[in-house]
Amino acid sequence: MAAHQEKKLAEERKHQNMQNDTKTSQGQWGRAWEVDWFSLASILFLLMFAPLIVYYFIMSCAQYQCSLTDPLLDLLKGDKHLSDIWNRTPRLTYRAAGIYSLWVTFQVVLYLSIPDFCHKFLPGYVGGVQEGAVTPAGVVNKYEINGLQAWIITHVLWFANASCFHFFSPTIIFDNWIPLLWCANILGYTVSTFAMIKGYFFPTNAKDCKFTGNFFYDYMMGIEFNPRIGKWFDFKLFFNGRPGIVAWTLINLSFAAKQQELYGEVTNSMILVNVLQGIYVLDFFWNEAWYLKTIDICHDHFGWYLGWGDCVWLPYLYTLQGLYLVYYPVQLGTAHAVGVLMLGLLGYYIFRMTNHQKDLFRRTNGNCRIWGKKPEYIECSYMSVDGTKYYSKLMTSGFWGWARHFNYTGDLMGSLAYCLACGFEHILPYFYIIYMTILLTHRCIRDEHRCSSKYGKDWKHYTAAVPYRLLPGIF
Ligand code: NDP
């Protein structure tokens, strides 16, 4: 009996030690195990106010001609009550619920049931089954990369309907914009809550789960790293790409169609926004395999931040320029329009080339040429949960020698171009550049914190070799 108890105690101790080891080792890599008060306060703020912020922007356009100050002034002066604004807000309709359900179901079908055929005939395109990066638990997930195909099919059907079949008006998205917002919220909250429950009760990979013990933090930042249903339905890849990014260009097209309906023409500003954001979206799908190596997939866990963010924040706030231009059909002078186009294309070039340089460098393990020369780099190492040592390289030449996140700088230049296309009448279309500056600066800091924990002294050597984050000589 005593021997049995001794054995049981020893097993419990061993289990405890294993958990501690896991915690120590994972603590060096991946998102936080413990929540500081600032993170908690930010998370509570976002959980409470992000849905209101989205509503406020969309309502301001619908009821106040895109003025962000007028609703507040009306409320402060007592000219209007909250109930007045709410009573004028369209409710959830059966029609919007039907459109949204059909839309999401269609994207699920495209995602799950049509294996990629684009890589068979498009030279240079990487699609089909691809591997993601090694997770902290040492897992390498496989993904079916077929986003480009889903985007093409969706848009071909959209144009076929608009020009031949006329089953529905191309203004359908604009015409149901607020009722659709309620549907997007329902999906966003459902999927985030489901992901939380799944993390507790039936995770895809228990070793890649993180629990801080703080409900709000876990709900927001996610527990599971790569939640899946079945072998192929990956939450992160699906929700970011499909209801989020495929929708982006369709929403812009619907706004352009509304301009045509209301004013009999589509302005050059609307065309610029459609073209520049269209390039960004197409780039995303052309490089979907590369997306598997970005922070979203490699490091973020799937919680409300990604689930609700992809369903609501992204399609509603990334498209504010197009929405604004429906209310203010700005026709830009030639110099202004050319300036916006140049800034947008230059930003895109920097964004793409910087991302491409890192991708090429990592894929070839440094055996490539960057700007005609062999890349320079710093050798580094890190450990996974099971104690396996891995080796990696951090490039210090090309755009990666100019700044540690020059891809973000290009992204910010492109974002500014979308906003400048809307003229200078209102602040609302500039929300995007303000938001992206905060997002990407915060992301720099977050990523560097993680990389520093992951690579230790090797990261210090790297930051000494490339001292600036976004702007050489400044920041
Ligand atoms: P990065 O593509 O810059 O990836 C950062 C990771 O790259 C690091 O964690 C590290 O990962 C590795 N790395 C860092 N420095 C080097 C180096 N010198 N050499 C080789 N590898 C390095 O960041 P993101 O995933 O955040 O962004 C990808 C793109 O997506 C960016 O262009 C960004 O602008 C864009 N983006 C757009 C958003 C939007 O909402 N529009 C939102 C977020 C991003 P490792 O652990 O592998 O070493």
Side-chain angles (χ1 to χ4, degrees):
M1 184 71 178
H4 176 72
Q5 264 184 345
E6 189 60 35
K7 196 175 158 203
K8 207 173 152 201
L9 272 173
E11 263 174 14
E12 270 171 16
R13 267 198 304 271
K14 191 175 152 203
H15 179 66
Q16 192 68 42
N17 284 342
M18 261 171 65
Q19 281 196 329
N20 288 343
D21 282 353
T22 303
K23 210 165 174 170
T24 317
S25 148
Q26 272 197 336
Q28 293 162 10
W29 178 20
R31 79 155 169 76
W33 279 102
E34 274 144 27
V35 189
D36 59 89
W37 69 267
F38 179 74
S39 306
L40 185 60
S42 318
I43 276 163
L44 289 176
F45 176 85
L46 282 173
L47 278 172
M48 278 188 293
F49 293 108
L52 285 180
I53 292 171
V54 177
Y55 170 72
Y56 190 83
F57 274 96
I58 306 305
M59 177 279 295
S60 300
C61 277
Q63 297 188 24
Y64 286 89
Q65 292 286 307
C66 297
S67 165
L68 286 178
T69 46
D70 285 356
L72 276 180
L73 288 176
D74 263 6
L75 289 173
L76 289 174
K77 284 192 286 181
D79 293 348
K80 288 254 171 70
H81 298 289
L82 277 177
S83 57
D84 299 323
I85 292 178
W86 181 245
N87 289 338
R88 287 177 60 199
T89 302
R91 300 288 186 264
L92 177 63
T93 59
Y94 283 116
R95 180 171 162 73
I99 295 169
Y100 198 74
S101 311
L102 212 69
W103 156 248
V104 177
T105 311
F106 181 55
Q107 290 307 316
V108 172
V109 170
L110 290 181
Y111 178 60
L112 283 183
S113 52
I114 313 185
D116 185 69
F117 56 78
C118 286
H119 70 281
K120 296 194 174 144
F121 65 89
L122 286 174
Y125 171 67
V126 182
V129 177
Q130 299 292 328
E131 285 188 348
V134 188
T135 73
V139 176
V140 177
N141 284 307
K142 283 191 162 51
Y143 297 83
E144 173 69 47
I145 297 295
N146 60 0
L148 183 66
Q149 164 180 295
W151 187 88
I152 293 172
I153 294 174
T154 308
H155 285 72
V156 164
L157 290 177
W158 175 272
F159 280 111
N161 173 70
S163 53
C164 306
F165 302 122
H166 309 294
F167 290 139
F168 56 85
S169 161
T171 61
I172 189 168
I173 303 177
F174 178 88
D175 295 337
N176 293 279
W177 200 220
I178 295 185
L180 286 172
L181 174 62
W182 308 134
C183 303
N185 268 287
I186 292 171
L187 181 66
Y189 277 97
T190 308
V191 78
S192 319
T193 310
F194 177 74
M196 173 107 180
I197 296 169
K198 184 174 172 325
Y200 272 103
F201 297 107
F202 48 104
T204 304
N205 188 328
K207 275 196 173 172
D208 268 325
C209 288
K210 276 200 171 182
F211 300 91
T212 61
N214 184 296
F215 173 83
F216 296 108
Y217 191 86
D218 287 350
Y219 186 66
M220 172 88 167
M221 299 308 288
I223 291 173
E224 273 202 83
F225 192 48
N226 292 120
R228 286 189 166 201
I229 292 181
K231 196 173 166 202
W232 294 109
F233 189 84
D234 183 87
F235 280 50
K236 276 190 202 167
L237 193 65
F238 177 77
F239 282 101
N240 189 276
R242 311 312 166 81
I245 300 185
V246 176
W248 191 346
T249 33
L250 285 186
I251 294 165
N252 279 344
L253 285 171
S254 185
F255 291 159
K258 194 69 193 177
Q259 253 200 358
Q260 177 70 39
E261 183 188 286
L262 291 174
Y263 312 107
E265 62 162 359
V266 178
T267 60
N268 58 3
S269 52
M270 180 67 97
I271 294 172
L272 274 172
V273 167
N274 267 266
V275 168
L276 291 176
Q277 294 188 348
I279 292 174
Y280 192 76
V281 166
L282 251 179
D283 174 276
F284 173 86
F285 286 116
W286 182 268
N287 296 291
E288 201 181 11
W290 152 83
Y291 176 66
L292 300 180
K293 305 285 157 68
T294 64
I295 293 175
D296 286 352
I297 298 270
C298 286
H299 310 306
D300 285 344
H301 290 236
F302 187 87
W304 187 85
Y305 166 73
L306 285 177
W308 181 86
D310 292 339
C311 293
V312 181
W313 187 270
L314 194 162
Y316 275 83
L317 295 189
Y318 284 26
T319 56
L320 276 180
Q321 289 85 26
L323 181 68
Y324 174 85
L325 291 171
V326 174
Y327 294 92
Y328 291 90
V330 180
Q331 192 67 38
L332 301 172
T334 311
H336 189 154
V338 171
V340 167
L341 183 64
M342 289 300 155
L343 179 67
L345 292 180
L346 179 65
Y348 170 71
Y349 173 78
I350 292 174
F351 161 84
R352 173 51 29 226
M353 286 315 294
T354 315
N355 285 325
H356 171 71
Q357 287 180 354
K358 187 187 87 175
D359 188 43
L360 180 69
F361 171 76
R362 279 280 169 94
R363 264 192 295 119
T364 58
N365 198 22
N367 294 314
C368 58
R369 297 193 87 74
I370 301 290
W371 292 344
K373 287 192 279 198
K374 267 200 90 58
E376 291 160 25
Y377 53 82
I378 285 174
E379 296 272 9
C380 40
S381 62
Y382 61 94
M383 300 264 237
S384 70
V385 175
D386 60 7
T388 314
K389 193 168 184 179
Y390 291 90
Y391 293 91
S392 190
K393 294 181 170 72
L394 293 166
M395 183 165 42
T396 55
S397 59
F399 280 127
W400 293 87
W402 288 16
R404 299 199 292 272
H405 300 275
F406 212 60
N407 49 348
Y408 292 178
T409 311
D411 208 346
L412 289 174
M413 288 165 70
S415 308
L416 180 62
Y418 313 154
C419 304
L420 289 171
C422 297
F424 304 104
E425 194 86 4
H426 278 283
I427 185 82
L428 182 133
Y430 286 83
F431 167 80
Y432 189 67
I433 180 65
I434 298 168
Y435 163 72
M436 284 296 281
T437 306
I438 298 170
L439 174 89
L440 293 180
T441 311
H442 177 246
R443 213 171 161 98
C444 270
I445 296 164
R446 201 158 62 97
D447 184 49
E448 298 211 345
H449 178 72
R450 193 194 60 80
C451 286
S452 163
S453 318
K454 180 175 174 182
Y455 294 123
K457 64 176 175 18
D458 295 333
W459 184 254
K460 284 210 179 95
H461 295 151
Y462 170 62
T463 53
V466 187
Y468 293 99
R469 285 178 168 130
L470 289 175
L471 290 173
I474 300 174
F475 174 66

